[in-house]
């Protein structure tokens, strides 16, 4: 991936969007797609819908419309209490591992700008021997802004959000590390998909990209977007756990490897026709792909989108990711490029008259 190509990805992951405060990243998406999409709207939840009309748009028997949903919110923290010394106490926004927090640098997003803080940790010299192996609970942690209590209380309000104070970096064999690749890496990919489809100019289906909000606290944007857009097909597009590092039980969690291609899910949350067409698209393009068993409702926007209205033919494509919900999420940029090709081919191959009723 060329340097200029991933600059937008860097910009997105380094722009804060803790759940409920996604509007800055939503603005970046709108700006990126302003000259690409035929229509762009932002709903009252804050999700962005960018539509690219197909060549059969407006006909009596158009090709099926497809919604690709990737969420723009990230996990974080929220200020819950400011003590008399000016230290911030907080609650989690989404699935935050308290054991990771001690010693981290954090960004506190106050109304007048971002403040750098650190999660304090008592030095090991001062911790009683019996307590050294214990993981501190979130309620016992605090953030030090290095400011007086008076200044902290004048600049920070209860409910201000907090994100990890780290950004995008390339390393290793065409890998990248950052916070918030879950799921902004997939948002980036989907903008590239719309650009590729626009450049072709011969795509029959209408393609709608939903940059959804509030996925991390219950798939809320995916639910409302699918309900309002009402597509024929809905693709949830998220990251999934790479299991190619020590300590992960593959018999329990399956085998997914970084650099081995996009992951296509299979299970009751997935329409079997959509699944087979995703596999066919990968094979037609010569793209290496991986399969993932999902025996229940997936913890992605696909879980919410499938059951809107009378049901929507739903699929799930995922980008392999190591160390999910940590400040050091890792992806393969080779997987990024392969996933773009898969999604483009899937949309291109849609044509009028397709049925997604299982067994029919």
């Amino acid at each position: 991936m060329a340097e200029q190509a991933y600059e937008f990805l860097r910009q997105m992951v380094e722009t804060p969007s803790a759940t409920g405060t996604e509007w800055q990243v939503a603005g970046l998406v709108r700006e990126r797609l302003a000259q690409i999409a035929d229509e762009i709207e932002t709903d009252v939840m804050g999700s962005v819908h960018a539509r690219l009309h197909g060549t059969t748009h407006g006909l009596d028997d158009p090709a099926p419309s497809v919604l690709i949903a990737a969420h723009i919110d990230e996990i974080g923290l929220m200020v819950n209490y400011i003590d008399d010394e000016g230290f911030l106490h907080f609650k989690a926004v989404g699935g935050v591992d308290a054991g990771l927090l001690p010693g981290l640098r954090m960004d506190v997003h106050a109304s007048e700008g971002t403040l750098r803080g650190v999660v304090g940790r008592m030095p090991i010299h001062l911790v009683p021997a019996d307590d050294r192996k214990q993981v501190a609970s979130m309620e016992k942690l605090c953030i030090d802004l290095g400011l007086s209590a008076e200044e902290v209380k004048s600049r920070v309000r209860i409910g201000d959000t907090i994100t990890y104070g780290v950004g995008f970096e390339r390393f290793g064999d065409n890998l990248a590390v950052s916070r918030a690749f879950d799921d902004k890496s997939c948002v980036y990919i989907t903008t590239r998909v719309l650009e590729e489809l626009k450049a072709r100019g011969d795509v029959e289906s209408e393609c709608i990209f939903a940059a959804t909000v509030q996925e991390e606290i219950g798939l809320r944007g995916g639910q409302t977007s699918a309900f309002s857009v009402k597509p024929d097909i809905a693709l949830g597009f998220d990251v999934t756990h790479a299991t190619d590092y020590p300590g992960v039980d593959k018999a329990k969690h399956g085998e997914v490897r970084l650099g081995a291609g996009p992951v296509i899910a299979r299970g009751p949350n997935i329409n079997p026709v959509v699944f087979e067409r995703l596999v066919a698209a990968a094979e037609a393009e010569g793209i290496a792909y991986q399969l993932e068993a999902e025996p229940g409702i997936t913890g992605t926007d696909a879980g919410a989108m499938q059951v809107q209205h009378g049901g929507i033919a739903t699929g799930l494509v995922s980008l392999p990711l190591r160390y999910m919900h940590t400040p050091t999420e890792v992806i393969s940029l080779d997987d990024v490029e392969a996933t773009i090709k898969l999604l483009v081919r899937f949309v291109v191959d849609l044509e009028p008259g397709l049925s997604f009723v299982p067994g029919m």
Side-chain angles (χ1 to χ4, degrees), residues 127-189:
V127 178
D130 292 343
D131 295 339
R132 291 177 184 177
K133 295 182 180 181
Q134 302 299 316
V135 176
S137 65
M138 197 166 296
E139 293 77 16
K140 294 183 178 180
L141 299 175
C142 61
I143 291 177
D144 181 353
L145 294 178
L147 301 171
S148 68
E150 181 180 7
E151 186 168 1
V152 171
K153 291 183 179 182
S154 70
R155 298 177 67 177
V156 179
R157 292 192 297 175
I158 302 302
D160 283 345
T161 56
I162 305 162
T163 55
Y164 298 130
V166 295
F168 180 97
E169 194 176 351
R170 292 187 67 169
F171 82 111
D173 185 10
N174 209 28
L175 305 183
V177 57
S178 181
R179 78 168 203 265
F181 277 152
D182 175 11
D183 189 33
K184 297 179 197 177
S185 58
C186 295
V187 175
Y188 167 78
I189 288 170

Side-chain angles (χ1 to χ4, degrees), residues 37-317:
D38 295 306
E39 300 175 32
I40 299 180
E41 62 180 9
T42 306
D43 68 17
V44 72
M45 292 283 289
S47 299
V48 178
H49 302 156
R51 294 174 179 265
L52 189 63
H53 296 319
T55 59
T56 62
H57 177 71
L59 299 182
D60 291 337
D61 185 25
S65 60
V66 56
L67 171 67
I68 304 176
H71 68 90
I72 53 177
D73 61 317
E74 62 178 297
I75 62 167
L77 305 170
M78 180 176 286
V79 177
N80 183 52
Y81 170 65
I82 305 172
D83 67 26
D84 291 341
E85 288 74 39
F87 292 94
L88 306 183
H89 302 258
F90 47 81
K91 293 182 176 180
V93 180
V96 178
D97 182 353
L100 293 171
L101 296 177
L104 290 184
R105 301 177 189 188
M106 308 295 290
D107 288 333
V108 179
H109 305 292
S111 57
E112 296 183 1
T114 299
L115 301 171
R116 173 51 57 90
V118 298
V119 181
R121 169 70 172 174
M122 189 182 296
I124 192 170
H125 317 70
L126 306 183
V127 178
D130 292 343
D131 295 339
R132 291 177 184 177
K133 295 182 180 181
Q134 302 299 316
V135 176
S137 65
M138 197 166 296
E139 293 77 16
K140 294 183 178 180
L141 299 175
C142 61
I143 291 177
D144 181 353
L145 294 178
L147 301 171
S148 68
E150 181 180 7
E151 186 168 1
V152 171
K153 291 183 179 182
S154 70
R155 298 177 67 177
V156 179
R157 292 192 297 175
I158 302 302
D160 283 345
T161 56
I162 305 162
T163 55
Y164 298 130
V166 295
F168 180 97
E169 194 176 351
R170 292 187 67 169
F171 82 111
D173 185 10
N174 209 28
L175 305 183
V177 57
S178 181
R179 78 168 203 265
F181 277 152
D182 175 11
D183 189 33
K184 297 179 197 177
S185 58
C186 295
V187 175
Y188 167 78
I189 288 170
T190 312
T191 64
R192 291 272 307 276
V193 169
L194 258 64
E195 291 169 354
E196 294 281 342
L197 294 173
K198 178 73 170 183
R200 289 181 62 99
D202 62 351
V203 180
E204 294 184 284
S205 290
E206 179 177 55
C207 185
I208 309 101
F209 167 36
T212 61
V213 299
Q214 299 191 27
E215 189 270 354
E216 295 291 0
I217 61 167
L219 318 179
R220 293 160 58 81
Q223 178 177 353
T224 53
S225 289
F227 185 89
S228 61
V229 171
K230 199 176 180 181
D232 298 307
I233 306 164
L235 292 184
F237 185 29
D238 212 322
V239 294
T240 192
H241 299 286
T243 59
D244 57 349
Y245 56 94
V248 182
D249 184 350
K250 295 181 178 63
K252 180 177 180 180
H253 300 293
E255 182 172 18
V256 173
R257 305 191 66 83
L258 223 61
V263 181
I264 303 172
R266 191 178 189 191
N269 193 177
I270 309 305
N271 178 276
V273 180
V274 173
F275 167 78
E276 294 294 351
R277 293 188 71 89
L278 284 166
V279 170
E283 293 180 349
E285 285 292 312
I287 298 168
Y289 64 92
Q290 307 177 75
L291 298 181
E292 185 171 41
E294 291 284 3
I297 301 171
T298 67
T300 70
D301 281 340
M305 296 190 299
Q306 183 190 31
V307 292
Q308 299 307 305
H309 298 285
I312 298 173
T314 301
L316 175 60
V317 177

Side-chain angles (χ1 to χ4, degrees), residues 319-334:
L319 185 72
L321 176 138
R322 290 179 187 156
Y323 321 127
M324 193 181 297
H325 282 203
T326 75
T328 53
E329 296 181 337
V330 174
I331 60 172
S332 163
L333 298 179
D334 292 333

